Amino acid sequence: MSSTAPEMGGRRDASFEREPARRVFASELRECRYQFKDGEDEKSPTFVLLPTGERSNRIFISGTLTEKSRQGEQNVFYRGRVIDPTGTFFVMAGSYQPEAMQQLAKIETPAFVSVTGKPNLYQKPDGSYLVSVRVESITVVEKETRDLWVLDTAARTLDRLDALATGTSPDITKAKEQYPMLDPAVYRKNVFDALAQIKM
């Protein structure tokens, strides 16, 4: 794994340390139902709690950008769909992320892409939830890069499931409270189905 990969640790500078970007499949991210702030300060980071028991302020995903659309008149933003072997990520970039918005606007679909962004949880009027990823950066990649991401994400998901089975961290305890119906066998099947779709 390259030392420049987003999950290899936060980037520290004089004023803050960026949260590491977690690798997560679409099938798990779409099941998120719990979001929280870590601290009382206005600038305290916001996290979604993955069902497998790890907090995530930033994620690193890879897949096929199948569609994108420009929205808004005065406040222009772009929405897109990125498909991995387990489902769909909904991504967006607006005027607060001008560089990311320009990157997304220039990409011709379909294309393999890698995305770093912040997950946000929304509850719709009907009570259901939607997780959208606010893009920080999006880059066109080769299929081999997407396949390596599937391998890495499979390994990280299995590690989280193992930790969930035996761990006692506060995040794992909270995940068991928030996702009492989680069936590890379903997540393991998603992992193996994803691996079956790549050729290395």
Side-chain angles (χ1 to χ4, degrees):
M1 185 63 56
S2 166
S3 61
T4 60
E7 198 167 5
M8 295 306 291
R11 188 179 69 189
R12 181 182 292 277
D13 65 15
S15 60
F16 72 97
E17 180 179 0
R18 300 186 75 181
E19 293 290 335
R22 312 293 185 194
R23 287 164 169 77
V24 58
F25 284 124
S27 59
E28 179 174 359
L29 190 67
R30 75 178 176 221
E31 297 300 322
C32 288
R33 299 290 181 271
Y34 184 69
Q35 183 169 275
F36 64 98
K37 289 191 78 168
D38 187 16
E40 302 295 328
D41 187 88
E42 182 181 337
K43 295 183 178 179
S44 297
T46 299
F47 296 87
V48 297
L49 183 62
L50 300 178
T52 50
E54 190 168 48
R55 63 178 61 196
S56 175
N57 171 263
R58 302 170 69 236
I59 61 172
F60 177 58
I61 62 178
S62 193
T64 307
L65 179 68
T66 59
E67 64 178 81
K68 65 173 183 182
S69 61
R70 175 179 166 139
Q71 311 254 320
E73 294 296 333
Q74 294 183 330
N75 297 314
V76 175
F77 63 98
Y78 278 80
R79 292 184 187 276
R81 290 174 179 258
V82 177
I83 308 296
D84 81 355
T86 71
T88 301
F89 297 99
F90 297 96
V91 302
M92 63 173 297
S95 57
Y96 290 106
Q97 308 91 34
E99 186 174 339
M101 187 173 70
Q102 291 175 11
Q103 292 170 340
L104 179 55
K106 291 178 181 176
I107 297 174
E108 298 292 333
T109 60
F112 290 115
V113 296
S114 288
V115 179
T116 302
K118 291 184 176 294
N120 288 297
L121 182 63
Y122 304 97
Q123 186 168 22
K124 297 190 286 188
D126 65 1
S128 62
Y129 289 87
L130 173 68
V131 184
S132 177
V133 179
R134 193 177 74 221
V135 177
E136 293 180 332
S137 69
I138 180 168
T139 307
V140 175
V141 298
E142 301 293 328
K143 180 178 181 298
E144 289 74 16
T145 300
R146 192 290 305 264
D147 289 350
L148 283 172
W149 176 85
V150 172
L151 274 179
D152 286 344
T153 305
R156 303 300 168 92
T157 303
L158 293 175
D159 287 346
R160 291 197 299 269
L161 287 169
D162 289 344
L164 184 69
T166 59
T168 57
S169 74
D171 286 346
I172 287 175
T173 300
K174 179 62 72 174
K176 290 177 178 176
E177 293 173 3
Q178 295 295 325
Y179 308 106
M181 303 302 289
L182 181 141
D183 183 353
V186 172
Y187 285 78
R188 290 185 186 280
K189 182 178 185 304
N190 288 341
V191 167
F192 295 125
D193 288 347
L195 291 173
Q197 294 185 43
I198 63 172
K199 295 180 179 178
M200 300 298 295

